[in-house]
Amino acid sequence: LNLIVDYDNQDCKVIISDQRGRKFFERKFERPSGVLTLDLSTLEKGVYIYEVFTRKNCTQKGKFIKN
């Protein structure tokens, strides 16, 4: 999964969960800029939700399908 980010030198956290809210992935990134590439090869097939948080709030949210 590739996420485009630019948070003006703020740290962020990415969380991947399923539609029931179970977390499968959580990782912090220090001052990301550009594209975050996440290796999600261990996830089973299904529909997942990604959320990107900075200190203050959720800045990105979306769904993706793992085939």
Side-chain angles (χ1 to χ4, degrees), residues 17-53:
S17 56
D18 67 9
Q19 293 182 332
R20 294 183 179 172
R22 295 179 294 183
K23 289 183 187 178
F24 289 91
F25 180 91
E26 183 172 340
R27 184 171 169 197
K28 293 181 180 180
F29 296 90
E30 293 183 13
R31 296 186 293 267
S33 182
V35 178
L36 292 178
T37 300
L38 308 176
D39 179 8
L40 303 176
S41 60
T42 59
L43 291 180
E44 294 183 11
K45 293 180 181 179
V47 177
Y48 294 90
I49 298 166
Y50 69 86
E51 297 174 290
V52 182
F53 295 88

Side-chain angles (χ1 to χ4, degrees), residues 46-61:
V47 177
Y48 294 90
I49 298 166
Y50 69 86
E51 297 174 290
V52 182
F53 295 88
T54 61
R55 283 186 181 181
K56 296 182 181 181
N57 58 11
C58 180
T59 58
Q60 288 185 45
K61 186 174 185 176

